[in-house]
Amino acid sequence: MSKELDHFIHQVSLGKMSRRDFLGRAAALGATASFANSFLSSVALAQEPVRGGILKAGLMGGQSTDSLDPAAIADQVPFNFSRCWGETLVALKAGGLEHRIAEEFGSSTDAKVWTFKIRDGVEFHNGKTVTAEDVVATLERHSDKKSKSGASGFLQGIESLKAQGRDVVITLKVPNADLPYLMADNHLVIQPNGGKDDPMAGISAGPYKVAVNQPGTRYVGERFQNYWQPDKMGFADQVEIIVINDPTARTSALQSGQVHVINRVDPKIVDMLKRVPGLEIKPTSGPGHVGYIMQCDTAPFDNYDLRMALKLAIDREEMLGKIQRGYGTIGNDSSINAAYPLFTEIEQRKYDPDEAKFHYKKSGHDGTVLLRTATGAFPGAVDAAQLYQQSAAKAGIKLDIKREPEDGYWSEVWLKQPFYASYWSGRPTQDQMYSTFYESSANWNETHFFNKKFDKLIDEARGELDQDKRKNLYHQMALISRDQSGYIIPMFTQYIDAITDKVGGYSPGVNFELMDGYSLCKCWLKG
């Protein structure tokens, strides 16, 4: 047994055998689970980062209208590239937060005044030292009521911002125990003078400097020699992102060795890729979900019964089985699932064509309903729309499916059209999810959901420090959003990435693809 086990351990160390395969083969040889896991831990600890080379990713989620302005990040490519050149106050990690530019933080006893101490000696790519004033300016830009930032909605609770030496003092209108988690938002990249001078300059304090910026085509980052944490990130000499929105072309690029990493693997080809030598599948569970957006103030979706008919006319179980192939869970027209600590169960909405037919007739709508989708909306989006069309037809609802071009979907369809497919990565807290996508004043209130009671509950929950009371408030919000908003959410999905065996240092993210966007920063090419 020892000789064979040694061979398997060597294969794991080279990245040529997955953890699952190792545990299975070790068990077959008679090794206990604890014994096998101890070997895996020693292998992980023994993996030393290798410096050099060009680490390449082929990613879905880029278009020609993308910008380096962190405020405008709305899709996977600008998000992942921003992790390479950008730096935030804090970052998510399993079980909590990692200190980044902020070396420590704390609050008053009522969680209304928060102080973040800025790490000394962190340098921007332009040679300037990061200061508390830069952080204040960043938060001012994103929280401005005229800002179009994706972070604007949840920053409206700020009453004042102040720099005191190395401290940033944030005073809130109402207490918010979740504030540090909000500071991990990907839009809140710290920039010189907050990006007020040139938000699209691509200058921050991340491990890579922007070398090539070709929106919708290609991005390159060169290692920043003065990066403040060189032992943790920035191992490759260069990182490169090639925009490959077509799923077949993206998979082919990985198999041919053109790239080392890809995102958004279609679940229907996962089993095939698992059989390809030298490739590994990397799924990540979390709050990510997919579905459809109806704008509640635009006909015919301004009619409650029509919206309810469309919610009842989707066969969630069929869609999960045929589109996600087991890589996900059933959705319930609510953006919150068990990944959130204050989640509570609500009655599961089921496919009911008879009830859908009742609401559809009651709505008075006659004719087809136009649904827009695209391959880039989410993996399997076009097939999902066709399944939706078939299930809705059994309720007497005629869906007309329009397949939109990939380039421009997120600039010409998202937030602009009345009914379309989309995806959501989720957020660290329920408050952030609700204040980003549901609050009446939010820039990204996609469904044009304006509900005064819901807004009041957001404010009340944000200031409630008793967890049981807060959980009850969130339960009420889940019921209102499920029934009244314009969201149809049939599935929570796993993010499925794939890498070649040349990539070292890959580990699961907390709740998003590609190690929460840090794969190019934290991984390396094996020697």
Side-chain angles (χ1 to χ4, degrees):
M1 181 182 84
S2 177
K3 188 174 181 180
E4 291 177 281
L5 193 59
D6 285 342
H7 171 69
F8 294 153
I9 292 169
H10 181 63
Q11 292 294 100
V12 172
S13 68
L14 294 175
K16 294 183 177 180
M17 181 180 291
S18 69
R19 176 188 176 92
R20 179 183 296 177
D21 287 344
F22 173 79
L23 291 175
R25 296 188 185 194
L29 292 173
T32 66
S34 60
F35 180 76
N37 272 303
S38 69
F39 273 110
L40 283 177
S41 297
S42 65
V43 168
L45 290 171
Q47 282 192 3
E48 290 292 331
V50 178
R51 296 191 178 276
I54 303 175
L55 185 58
K56 299 181 179 182
L59 303 185
M60 179 186 106
Q63 53 189 343
S64 59
T65 54
D66 287 337
S67 163
L68 288 180
D69 181 3
I73 294 173
D75 209 353
Q76 298 101 314
V77 169
F79 164 72
N80 280 280
F81 192 50
S82 75
R83 292 302 203 203
C84 297
W85 64 265
E87 190 65 279
T88 51
L89 284 176
V90 295
L92 289 178
K93 69 175 183 179
L97 290 171
E98 176 186 357
H99 295 158
R100 304 301 303 156
I101 284 179
E103 65 179 10
E104 61 181 66
F105 59 82
S107 76
S108 58
T109 55
D110 64 356
K112 194 173 180 181
V113 179
W114 287 85
T115 302
F116 292 78
K117 184 173 287 295
I118 304 309
R119 196 179 298 275
D120 195 24
V122 177
E123 187 177 313
F124 283 123
H125 300 148
N126 62 4
K128 181 181 178 294
T129 299
V130 178
T131 66
E133 286 77 11
D134 294 309
V135 175
V136 167
T138 296
L139 296 177
E140 285 177 342
R141 183 170 81 88
H142 289 272
S143 63
D144 189 291
K145 289 186 177 180
K146 296 181 181 179
S147 170
K148 298 299 182 183
S149 171
S152 174
F154 64 77
L155 293 180
Q156 294 310 304
I158 294 176
E159 184 174 273
S160 67
L161 293 160
K162 183 167 55 176
Q164 292 181 333
R166 288 169 54 200
D167 291 344
V168 172
V169 181
I170 304 174
T171 302
L172 304 176
K173 297 173 184 176
V174 297
N176 189 347
D178 290 339
L179 183 75
Y181 285 88
L182 303 184
M183 296 298 104
D185 187 79
N186 58 278
H187 301 92
L188 300 181
V189 170
I190 308 304
Q191 296 177 280
N193 195 29
K196 292 180 179 180
D197 303 320
D198 186 0
M200 294 184 285
I203 295 175
S204 184
Y208 291 95
K209 297 173 64 173
V210 176
V212 176
N213 172 33
Q214 298 174 344
T217 304
R218 177 173 172 263
Y219 300 84
V220 175
E222 293 182 349
R223 186 195 293 135
F224 178 38
Q225 297 302 324
N226 294 336
Y227 180 55
W228 68 276
Q229 204 179 33
D231 60 324
K232 300 293 184 182
M233 287 195 252
F235 302 114
D237 292 334
Q238 291 186 346
V239 292
E240 180 177 358
I241 294 176
I242 302 171
V243 180
I244 312 177
N245 288 320
D246 181 79
T248 302
R250 196 163 59 252
T251 304
S252 296
L254 183 72
Q255 291 180 274
S256 68
Q258 180 187 357
V259 299
H260 307 104
V261 179
I262 63 171
N263 67 345
R264 302 300 171 99
V265 175
D266 193 321
K268 68 184 179 184
I269 66 167
V270 166
D271 289 341
M272 181 272 289
L273 287 182
K274 284 181 177 179
R275 296 192 294 269
V276 177
L279 300 186
E280 293 183 34
I281 298 296
K282 301 290 186 179
T284 299
S285 299
H289 48 287
V290 300
Y292 306 95
I293 291 169
M294 302 178 286
Q295 292 186 346
C296 300
D297 61 352
T298 305
F301 309 102
D302 55 351
N303 184 290
Y304 167 82
D305 285 292
L306 179 69
R307 296 199 303 272
M308 184 56 66
L310 290 168
K311 289 171 186 274
L312 292 164
I314 191 165
D315 192 333
R316 301 158 199 274
E317 292 189 1
E318 179 187 39
M319 194 173 286
L320 180 67
K322 292 184 177 179
I323 302 300
Q324 288 305 120
R325 308 293 178 99
Y327 289 92
T329 56
I330 292 289
N332 199 16
D333 298 338
S334 168
S335 297
I336 308 301
N337 69 348
Y340 292 89
L342 299 181
F343 167 77
T344 58
E345 293 281 357
I346 58 177
E347 184 180 355
Q348 176 64 52
R349 175 164 289 146
K350 298 180 179 180
Y351 175 51
D352 191 335
D354 291 333
E355 188 70 11
K357 185 179 295 185
F358 167 79
H359 283 283
Y360 185 64
K361 183 177 180 180
K362 188 177 177 182
S363 76
H365 181 74
D366 187 30
T368 60
V369 177
L370 178 62
L371 171 62
R372 290 175 165 84
T373 190
T375 302
F378 58 83
V382 175
D383 290 340
Q386 291 171 348
L387 288 177
Y388 191 8
Q389 185 181 50
Q390 293 165 15
S391 66
K394 295 177 183 178
I397 302 172
K398 298 178 181 178
L399 287 185
D400 183 14
I401 308 300
K402 182 177 181 181
R403 185 170 178 175
E404 297 281 357
E406 298 303 312
D407 190 38
Y409 187 78
W410 299 107
S411 60
E412 301 302 322
V413 176
W414 181 62
L415 294 179
K416 294 182 179 179
Q417 298 298 335
F419 191 31
Y420 56 93
S422 189
Y423 79 94
W424 302 266
S425 58
R427 292 295 187 271
T429 67
Q430 280 150 280
D431 175 71
Q432 188 177 358
M433 194 69 201
Y434 285 138
S435 57
T436 300
F437 296 102
Y438 290 83
E439 196 164 18
S440 296
S441 60
N443 284 335
W444 286 5
N445 181 359
E446 302 164 304
T447 72
H448 298 191
F449 174 62
F450 306 112
N451 188 299
K452 291 182 180 179
K453 181 179 179 180
F454 191 88
D455 292 344
K456 184 179 179 181
L457 286 169
I458 289 180
D459 288 339
E460 191 176 346
R462 188 176 293 147
E464 179 56 69
L465 301 183
D466 183 295
Q467 295 298 290
D468 289 335
K469 292 180 180 178
R470 201 176 191 199
K471 183 180 276 191
N472 179 57
L473 293 170
Y474 282 140
H475 183 80
Q476 296 178 54
M477 293 160 70
L479 291 171
I480 293 172
S481 61
R482 181 195 64 176
D483 296 337
Q484 301 293 331
S485 81
Y487 283 117
I488 301 172
I489 300 172
M491 303 179 290
F492 281 84
T493 62
Q494 291 186 16
Y495 294 106
I496 308 175
D497 309 323
I499 64 174
T500 73
D501 58 6
K502 294 182 179 180
V503 176
Y506 199 99
S507 60
V510 177
N511 64 0
F512 197 53
E513 67 180 26
L514 299 173
M515 300 172 61
D516 297 321
Y518 287 108
S519 62
L520 293 178
C521 305
K522 294 184 176 181
C523 290
W524 58 85
L525 291 173
K526 297 175 183 177

